[in-house]
Amino acid sequence: MDFELTDEQRMLRETARQFVAKVCPAEQAKKWDEESAVPPELFSGMADLGWFSLPFPAEEGGDGGGPVELIVLAEELGRASFDVAMCYIGVLIPGITVFRWGTEPQRDFIRDQVMTGRHRLAVGLSEPDSGSDAAALRTTAEDRGDHFVVRGQKAWCTGAGLPDTTIATYVRTGPREPKHSGISLLLIDPESPGVEVRRTPTLARHILGTNEVFFGDVVVPKENLVGPAGEGWKVMLSNIELEKVIITGGYLGAAQATLDEMLEFARTRQAFGRPVGTFQAIAHAIADLQTEIDSARLLAYRAAWLLAQGKPCTREGSMAKLKGSETYVAAARLGMQVCAGHGFSTESVMSFRYRESIVATISGGTSQIQRNGIARSMGLRTY
């Protein structure tokens, strides 16, 4: 495994770092979060730099980037905030899925609308009674010949309420047993009659927003089916390792930025006649945290490298997601302790990091689910 980035990858990292500094520094990301703002300059800036076309094949209109390029980019965006990184990741993953499994018209839609940043995708998978047990979903799509009629409810749909967005919705088109069968993926326009999108109040992640989506006898054309009917579980799993890797990049950037912020505070804040960072209790805690971040980075880049080589990385992806998410939570918690009252003030970026970090071990697959997957790879089936 070669840990050295190529010249192109280093250039991508530097471009992304400059983009964050100019368009979405942490203070700006915090402001957007507090205002629940949808910043057009963020999305248009990403599109202008060609990032939405980055992972697609060059012969299909993309830039031919791979997992390593994506994690490099996600890590830099995560330095602004994890929500900023998700403004990119959340569109990219369903876009890749639709492009991989879709019909030619659907692939044209990805080329013309998603790669150019004109349109976004959101994912509707979780439901009020099915989160980690995603295959227990109840939303149904009844086959009516040339269309489906969708009934049910989705929860925790990130970005589903933004304008110019299509919801990639996992529905049940077959019997509930065996529960991993009979699931299909449909592209649903939230402006369709019978669709209602409601914003869910949350502690953070207010740029993209989290939503409940209700489907009341929604007519969805048959041509909106992505992949084979009844094989939506396989469709969903096809990019799960890549999703874990890129999400972990966002955690890494946020955790590193959190450490950098507390380190600057520890160097300048005086107590008992000296910088607080020179007290061993604080210095050791910060040193331990940098070690944890670097450990998470190694796990994540190992998984990205395996994916780039076409090798399976189910276990490695789960390890990366587990370590990356828990490290971001630990970084924000330590940052609050080091910055003390200054961090507790809601005017501080650290308070924003703390709010945002809490959901890292829940969204995108809980830490417990990641541990289940790792244990299963070791021959220990936990359920």
Side-chain angles (χ1 to χ4, degrees):
M1 181 177 175
D2 186 358
F3 291 95
E4 184 69 25
L5 296 180
T6 65
D7 290 341
E8 290 80 6
Q9 290 164 349
R10 283 194 293 270
M11 186 179 301
L12 175 64
R13 181 176 62 186
E14 183 56 31
T15 299
R17 192 163 294 182
Q18 292 174 6
F19 177 81
V20 168
K22 180 180 179 181
V23 176
C24 52
E27 294 79 7
Q28 181 62 64
K30 177 178 181 289
K31 186 173 185 291
W32 287 335
D33 177 85
E34 291 168 348
E35 297 174 351
S36 296
V38 181
E41 64 268 36
L42 179 63
F43 294 103
S44 63
M46 292 179 183
D48 290 344
L49 288 166
W51 289 346
F52 290 119
S53 63
L54 177 62
F56 296 95
E59 61 272 18
E60 300 284 359
D63 292 325
V68 176
E69 286 79 14
L70 293 176
I71 194 173
V72 166
L73 181 50
E75 183 172 357
E76 293 306 319
L77 292 173
R79 289 175 178 268
S81 81
F82 182 71
D83 203 15
V84 166
M86 278 302 296
C87 288
Y88 178 65
I89 300 166
V91 172
L92 207 65
I93 292 299
I96 293 171
T97 301
V98 173
F99 195 82
R100 176 173 179 176
W101 293 92
T103 61
E104 198 54 40
Q106 290 168 350
R107 289 160 66 90
D108 287 340
F109 166 72
I110 298 298
R111 289 189 197 96
D112 298 339
Q113 298 296 318
V114 178
M115 288 189 198
T116 58
R118 296 190 186 100
H119 202 85
R120 288 181 282 270
L121 292 173
V123 177
L125 176 61
S126 296
E127 298 182 358
D129 294 323
S130 63
S132 293
D133 188 9
L137 63 88
R138 294 173 179 269
T139 298
T140 61
E142 182 182 345
D143 192 336
R144 295 284 185 85
D146 65 343
H147 66 275
F148 295 100
V149 175
V150 179
R151 303 182 184 94
Q153 178 183 353
K154 292 295 179 180
W156 316 116
C157 294
T158 301
L162 297 183
D164 302 313
T165 297
T166 294
I167 307 174
T169 311
Y170 289 89
V171 296
R172 188 162 294 285
T173 52
R176 295 191 62 204
E177 295 296 337
K179 68 180 182 181
H180 291 91
S181 299
I183 295 172
S184 301
L185 176 59
L186 296 178
L187 297 177
I188 301 181
D189 181 354
E191 298 296 323
S192 300
V195 179
E196 181 183 359
V197 180
R198 295 182 192 168
R199 182 77 171 246
T200 303
T202 54
L203 277 172
R205 302 282 297 277
H206 298 148
I207 301 174
L208 280 172
T210 298
N211 307 271
E212 290 181 284
V213 185
F214 300 86
F215 303 98
D217 292 331
V218 179
V219 175
V220 180
K222 243 342 174 12
E223 56 263 30
N224 287 25
L225 174 68
V226 180
E231 296 188 26
W233 189 252
K234 181 168 69 174
V235 172
M236 188 271 292
L237 290 181
S238 64
N239 283 314
I240 195 72
E241 283 87 6
L242 180 62
E243 180 180 5
K244 290 176 184 176
V245 165
I246 308 175
I247 284 177
T248 302
Y251 296 143
L252 290 173
Q256 186 64 63
T258 303
L259 185 146
D260 294 345
E261 289 154 12
M262 78 176 81
L263 181 59
E264 179 63 23
F265 181 88
R267 286 170 171 162
T268 56
R269 173 74 163 121
Q270 296 279 326
F272 304 101
R274 56 195 284 200
V276 296
T278 62
F279 289 97
Q280 193 176 77
I282 292 179
H284 281 189
I286 291 176
D288 285 345
L289 178 60
Q290 185 64 73
T291 302
E292 294 300 310
I293 293 172
D294 280 12
S295 299
R297 185 174 287 112
L298 286 171
L299 286 171
Y301 276 76
R302 177 182 67 166
W305 180 84
L306 287 169
L307 275 177
Q309 305 305 309
K311 299 177 184 293
C313 70
T314 300
R315 171 172 169 167
E316 293 80 3
S318 291
M319 287 179 170
K321 201 281 177 184
L322 172 65
K323 184 67 174 175
S325 61
E326 299 206 339
T327 299
Y328 182 24
V329 173
R333 178 66 185 86
L334 179 62
M336 291 291 287
Q337 191 70 25
V338 170
C339 295
H342 297 274
F344 189 62
S345 166
T346 56
E347 294 180 346
S348 71
V349 169
M350 195 59 69
S351 69
F352 169 52
R353 301 287 191 193
Y354 187 73
R355 285 190 293 111
E356 185 187 62
S357 71
I358 293 169
V359 77
T361 58
I362 301 170
S363 63
T366 66
S367 289
Q368 290 73 26
I369 288 295
Q370 305 312 318
R371 290 186 174 98
N372 280 346
I374 296 164
R376 192 179 303 117
S377 76
M378 302 166 70
L380 303 172
R381 190 166 187 87
T382 54
Y383 65 92

